[in-house]
Amino acid sequence: MSKFNNYVLKYLLFSFPAIMGVIIWGTFQSQQEILNSDNAFVYIISEILSLHLIFWFVMLIYILFVLLLSPAFRNKLLLKLARIKDRDEREGYIIGQSSRFTFFSTLAVLVFFLFFSTVNITINKLPEGRAVDGKKHELSIGLSYQVFDNDKIKLPENDILFSTQSLPFTKQNILILLIICHLGTFYYSSKKMKVEE
Amino acid sequence: MNDSKITLTIVSRIHVFRAEKRITQQQLADAVGVTRGTIIAIEKGNYNPSLELAFRLSKYFNTDINSLFKVEDIPNE
């Protein structure tokens, strides 16, 4: 890890509270309100923090590119992130076993997500006169698979009691869940193996 | 063809040699280039060392591998 990349990483980490502060400030007071305010101090602070936010994002993009392009940097950073200690053959063995466990667990989660993203469940109210044996509701279960994310056909909403189509999570949440699952499974399995020994 | 499998259990005698030599687990670990956790795991029988580490241990204790590790085979039905 070069010294510059090390400094950038530390900067990104330690200035993160300031970035969060700007984001929280932005939720309570819009940029236009700050610009219109008579308080010069608030205006200057806002300008400095906004420029800092831009700089922070530029540095973040730089580090993400280095992470993608430099295998040595990626290896060192991810070893730190996953708190992997690979000091001798037994720890290497534990990491291998934990990686195997993590790989299969993540694969299981992905298969689970894929299944639920293809399942459609709809419970709707039948129109008057279409009730069968006094039953007024209808349950539809189906599977759908689409290569492209086309606009979904809108169903009439008034009679639907419950409907689920594909995953209810946003793409960001799915990615966060996968990262947490990936790291959590690795920590759990490596710790368990060390305790067993 | 014999379908019965044999489970090999490797019993370590490192703790005996270590006691004879009056060295700590940490000293042995440093001498053979592993962590203390690895020595503990080998002594407890929870980890089987690689052939390379086994040779390093035997060289350190100036003995052969068969004296350091005893192999017990338990035939399975």
Side-chain angles (χ1 to χ4, degrees), chain A residues 12 23 65 73 81 104 112 148 160 166 174 181 186:
Chain A
L12 287 175
I23 293 166
F65 268 105
F73 177 76
L81 188 70
F104 285 117
F112 177 82
F148 301 108
I160 295 173
S166 107
I174 291 171
C181 167
F186 187 85

Side-chain angles (χ1 to χ4, degrees), chain B:
Chain B
M1 193 176 156
N2 190 3
D3 285 336
S4 67
K5 289 176 184 174
I6 295 170
T7 306
L8 292 176
T9 307
I10 297 168
V11 181
S12 163
R13 294 188 66 240
I14 286 177
H15 62 286
V16 179
F17 280 85
R18 202 168 49 75
E20 280 174 6
K21 215 167 177 176
R22 291 172 186 267
I23 54 160
T24 62
Q25 289 170 331
Q26 187 62 61
Q27 283 169 324
L28 177 61
D30 292 340
V32 294
V34 291
T35 59
R36 187 173 159 251
T38 300
I39 299 297
I40 295 169
I42 295 169
E43 285 188 358
K44 283 168 80 178
N46 292 331
Y47 174 69
N48 294 331
S50 67
L51 201 55
E52 188 193 335
L53 180 56
F55 271 109
R56 263 189 279 156
L57 286 164
S58 66
K59 197 177 172 187
Y60 179 77
F61 288 117
N62 202 21
T63 183
D64 61 316
I65 290 178
N66 282 330
S67 309
L68 272 181
F69 300 102
K70 203 170 85 181
V71 180
E72 290 173 354
D73 30 320
I74 306 156
N76 291 342
E77 285 297 314

Side-chain angles (χ1 to χ4, degrees), chain A residues 111-131:
Chain A
V111 171
F112 177 82
F113 278 170
L114 177 67
F115 174 74
F116 275 93
S117 71
T118 57
V119 168
N120 304 324
I121 301 169
T122 310
I123 301 169
N124 60 320
K125 205 173 174 183
L126 288 170
E128 288 295 322
R130 283 193 59 195

Side-chain angles (χ1 to χ4, degrees), chain A:
Chain A
M1 199 184 299
S2 76
K3 269 192 174 180
F4 177 73
N5 290 341
N6 214 0
Y7 287 134
V8 173
L9 263 183
K10 278 183 183 165
Y11 161 73
L12 287 175
L13 188 69
F14 291 117
S15 59
F16 187 68
I19 301 301
M20 282 309 293
V22 176
I23 293 166
I24 292 164
W25 188 10
T27 57
F28 290 109
Q29 203 172 14
S30 71
Q31 192 67 26
Q32 200 56 46
E33 282 174 359
I34 297 165
L35 289 172
N36 293 338
S37 81
D38 297 330
N39 195 335
F41 179 72
V42 172
Y43 177 77
I44 292 164
I45 291 287
S46 164
E47 283 296 300
I48 292 168
L49 288 176
S50 301
L51 286 171
H52 175 248
L53 183 70
I54 294 165
F55 182 70
W56 193 86
F57 270 101
V58 170
M59 287 292 112
L60 182 68
I61 291 163
Y62 163 76
I63 243 14
L64 290 175
F65 268 105
V66 177
L67 195 68
L68 277 176
L69 301 172
S70 164
F73 177 76
R74 183 170 55 227
N75 198 30
K76 283 188 179 177
L77 182 70
L78 295 181
L79 280 175
K80 271 188 184 177
L81 188 70
R83 294 170 70 192
I84 290 174
K85 288 175 184 170
D86 191 4
R87 294 170 298 186
D88 68 356
E89 60 173 54
R90 186 185 59 99
E91 289 182 344
Y93 168 78
I94 289 172
I95 287 166
Q97 290 295 311
S98 303
S99 303
R100 187 175 178 270
F101 184 79
T102 307
F103 169 74
F104 285 117
S105 303
T106 313
L107 192 63
V109 171
L110 287 172
V111 171
F112 177 82
F113 278 170
L114 177 67
F115 174 74
F116 275 93
S117 71
T118 57
V119 168
N120 304 324
I121 301 169
T122 310
I123 301 169
N124 60 320
K125 205 173 174 183
L126 288 170
E128 288 295 322
R130 283 193 59 195
V132 182
D133 297 332
K135 292 173 180 100
K136 293 174 183 173
H137 298 97
E138 185 180 50
L139 167 72
S140 312
I141 300 172
L143 286 171
S144 69
Y145 174 78
Q146 287 177 319
V147 178
F148 301 108
D149 197 11
N150 297 326
D151 291 336
K152 291 182 179 80
I153 301 158
K154 286 218 165 185
L155 297 166
E157 287 176 9
N158 49 343
D159 289 340
I160 295 173
L161 302 173
F162 172 78
S163 177
T164 171
Q165 289 190 335
S166 107
L167 280 175
F169 303 116
T170 60
K171 284 168 190 162
Q172 292 96 324
N173 273 332
I174 291 171
L175 289 172
I176 290 167
L177 271 171
L178 281 174
I179 290 169
I180 290 170
C181 167
H182 206 70
L183 286 176
T185 314
F186 187 85
Y187 282 146
Y188 168 75
S189 57
S190 57
K191 206 165 185 177
K192 197 178 162 214
M193 284 189 79
K194 278 186 181 173
V195 168
E196 277 174 4
E197 285 188 349

